[in-house]
Amino acid sequence: MRDAFHEELDAISDSLVEMARFVGSAMGRATTAMLDADLKLAESVIEADAKVDDMQRDLEESAIALLARQQPVATDLRIVVTSLRMSADLERCGDLAQHVAKVARLRFPQSAVPRDLQATILSMGQLAQRLMAKAAEVLITKDVELAMQLERDDDEMDELHRTLFRHLLDERWRHGVETAVDVTLLGRYYERFADHAVSIARRVVYLVTGEYADEFQPESGPETPAASGETAAGSAG
Amino acid sequence: MRDAFHEELDAISDSLVEMARFVGSAMGRATTAMLDADLKLAESVIEADAKVDDMQRDLEESAIALLARQQPVATDLRIVVTSLRMSADLERCGDLAQHVAKVARLRFPQSAVPRDLQATILSMGQLAQRLMAKAAEVLITKDVELAMQLERDDDEMDELHRTLFRHLLDERWRHGVETAVDVTLLGRYYERFADHAVSIARRVVYLVTGEYADEFQPESGPETPAASGETAAGSAG
């Protein structure tokens, strides 16, 4: 009986890992599509998001069926409930990758990102993908040390976000308001994507240690990308 | 036994309604704080978000305890699991109200919103609050008709968002890039808040009818606030 339960639980965990890999890849391809102004790639990312939504619904159904059939308690129950929360995080990450791809499609045949910001956006995209790859690894290994690394990676994302805003608010900004709007939203999409990856790692820490990650480590980074008081972009809660 | 279960379920439902009222009020006060450049009010909203986080954790603990003790199946189980998802929506709405309040604090003693946009932002704030009040009513009444109303209200939010972007991208825009960044993010915060309210109503529809709201009604509004291809702000997933 318990073995059947743990097999089903493994299947749910595998689905989470698959979703994490899928959305990590989607964000990577969305970033490439945007920087290269590659319309076909952008459209493939936009279409692929339906798959993430399906994966999430399937995972939710499996989790509910598992709860109904096996009636887990204590830690096992908590793992199933936490899996549901994580699948919601990952579904949202799929949306964010799709948003980036939509910016790429909207500005085609131009790139939405001016040349002097391409390196920063590329770094944000790569870091977002790396964070999600680590979140997937944390899901597999339950490695608390690795989970804590994501907090530090997220500080790096905050720093990139600040760099982006410094460019935006530099009085020499010559790319106009439309590009400023695009870049503001892109920055927000990458930041939120990273937040969800961190949130997944934190949930694993809670399951393993029984403590909230933020209770034995100070909050990561400043609350806004501009501790200097420059911008209005709130960080995750 | 079942009566005890339904009493506990009622308590969870009451908590959801309380959270919805709390975050609706927070968003209303955050909007006032921003338009009036009222620092004290902004700070009270920022501080009050911790209460929403606590409510969410308490609700999660109650739901897990209820699952462990009463082992519900079928619809009862689905209601508990859905409550967990809704509480996550509401917790996020608290964050978004806090983000608006932080913009108010950041720009004090100025208002972050230029005069010619104050009416639009006020409308967005009021509509966000109204959507959340309706979501709370849907939670209480399980009224599917009322739930469908939220889809139409959300179309109105999309329209306000488009108005905002028309101002931003008008070549006569004279408020500079910093204000454009603020307004872009504010628009996004209100839009996401509305999305979460709609999502709560949709979940109630699913519980009552067994059908996803989007399966018997076309998707609400355009996917981006500018169907005209003006902006890069993706809508909710």
Side-chain angles (χ1 to χ4, degrees), chain A residues 56-76:
Chain A
Q56 204 253 325
R57 278 189 189 182
D58 289 349
L59 195 149
E60 196 164 306
E61 290 310 312
S62 302
I64 290 174
L66 183 60
L67 289 173
R69 228 177 320 103
Q70 302 275 4
Q71 311 276 9
V73 294
T75 303
D76 287 339

Side-chain angles (χ1 to χ4, degrees), chain A:
Chain A
M1 194 67 168
R2 303 304 293 160
D3 273 8
F5 172 78
H6 284 103
E7 262 174 40
E8 287 184 63
L9 201 56
D10 285 348
I12 287 176
S13 176
D14 289 349
S15 299
L16 285 173
V17 172
E18 197 192 339
M19 281 182 83
R21 286 185 175 149
F22 195 93
V23 301
S25 159
M27 192 49 119
R29 285 177 297 124
T31 304
T32 302
M34 195 177 47
L35 295 175
D36 296 354
D38 183 334
L39 184 61
K40 275 213 170 140
L41 189 59
E43 278 174 346
S44 78
V45 174
I46 292 164
E47 277 158 34
D49 186 50
K51 171 121 197 275
V52 182
D53 297 344
D54 288 346
M55 287 162 95
Q56 204 253 325
R57 278 189 189 182
D58 289 349
L59 195 149
E60 196 164 306
E61 290 310 312
S62 302
I64 290 174
L66 183 60
L67 289 173
R69 228 177 320 103
Q70 302 275 4
Q71 311 276 9
V73 294
T75 303
D76 287 339
L77 170 57
R78 209 168 273 276
I79 291 172
V80 178
V81 169
T82 303
S83 300
L84 285 165
R85 286 294 299 271
M86 288 170 168
S87 78
D89 279 314
L90 291 166
E91 188 268 326
R92 187 69 203 141
C93 286
D95 292 339
L96 293 164
Q98 194 191 41
H99 290 346
V100 171
K102 283 183 177 173
V103 178
R105 183 172 68 180
L106 194 61
R107 299 299 169 222
F108 180 81
Q110 261 82 52
S111 167
V113 181
R115 269 178 206 284
D116 53 330
L117 278 176
Q118 295 221 344
T120 306
I121 291 286
L122 178 63
S123 297
M124 290 181 95
Q126 288 181 340
L127 183 56
Q129 222 184 325
R130 215 153 59 231
L131 271 157
M132 194 52 79
K134 281 190 192 172
E137 206 180 321
V138 169
L139 282 169
I140 297 167
T141 61
K142 323 283 184 238
D143 181 339
V144 172
E145 274 307 304
L146 184 63
M148 300 317 268
Q149 255 187 45
L150 273 89
E151 307 276 346
R152 290 189 291 277
D153 292 340
D154 196 40
D155 291 346
E156 207 184 311
M157 183 62 93
D158 288 337
E159 184 52 42
L160 287 166
H161 209 185
R162 272 190 293 267
T163 303
L164 205 63
F165 275 93
R166 267 196 301 271
H167 274 273
L168 270 171
L169 301 177
D170 190 310
E171 57 183 23
R172 288 163 296 176
W173 177 266
R174 287 292 174 269
H175 305 296
V177 172
E178 183 177 273
T179 301
V181 169
D182 283 353
V183 168
T184 300
L185 289 170
L186 287 169
R188 180 108 191 119
Y189 300 150
Y190 288 115
E191 190 210 14
R192 292 293 303 146
F193 188 96
D195 287 336
H196 287 292
V198 171
S199 155
I200 288 166
R202 284 186 183 166
R203 292 188 209 286
V204 173
V205 170
Y206 182 70
L207 284 176
V208 173
T209 68
E211 283 180 77
Y212 290 105
D214 56 359
E215 283 171 5
F216 60 95
Q217 164 138 337
E219 275 281 312
S220 76
E223 279 194 323
T224 69
S228 48
E230 280 162 1
T231 75
S235 185

Side-chain angles (χ1 to χ4, degrees), chain B residues 34-36 110-122 164 167 173 175 179 183:
Chain B
M34 194 176 45
L35 295 175
D36 296 355
Q110 261 82 51
S111 168
V113 181
R115 268 178 207 284
D116 52 331
L117 278 176
Q118 296 223 341
T120 306
I121 290 286
L122 178 62
L164 204 63
H167 274 273
W173 177 266
H175 305 296
T179 302
V183 169

Side-chain angles (χ1 to χ4, degrees), chain B residues 58-136:
Chain B
D58 288 350
L59 195 149
E60 197 164 305
E61 290 309 312
S62 303
I64 290 174
L66 183 59
L67 289 173
R69 229 179 316 103
Q70 303 274 4
Q71 311 277 9
V73 294
T75 304
D76 287 339
L77 170 58
R78 209 168 272 277
I79 291 172
V80 178
V81 169
T82 303
S83 299
L84 285 166
R85 286 295 299 271
M86 289 170 167
S87 78
D89 280 314
L90 291 166
E91 187 268 326
R92 186 70 203 139
C93 286
D95 292 339
L96 291 164
Q98 193 191 42
H99 290 348
V100 172
K102 282 182 178 175
V103 178
R105 184 174 66 180
L106 194 58
R107 297 301 167 221
F108 180 81
Q110 261 82 51
S111 168
V113 181
R115 268 178 207 284
D116 52 331
L117 278 176
Q118 296 223 341
T120 306
I121 290 286
L122 178 62
S123 297
M124 290 182 95
Q126 288 180 339
L127 183 57
Q129 223 184 326
R130 215 153 61 232
L131 271 156
M132 194 51 78
K134 280 191 192 171

Side-chain angles (χ1 to χ4, degrees), chain B residues 184-197:
Chain B
T184 301
L185 289 170
L186 287 170
R188 180 107 191 120
Y189 299 150
Y190 288 115
E191 191 211 14
R192 292 294 303 147
F193 189 95
D195 287 335
H196 286 291

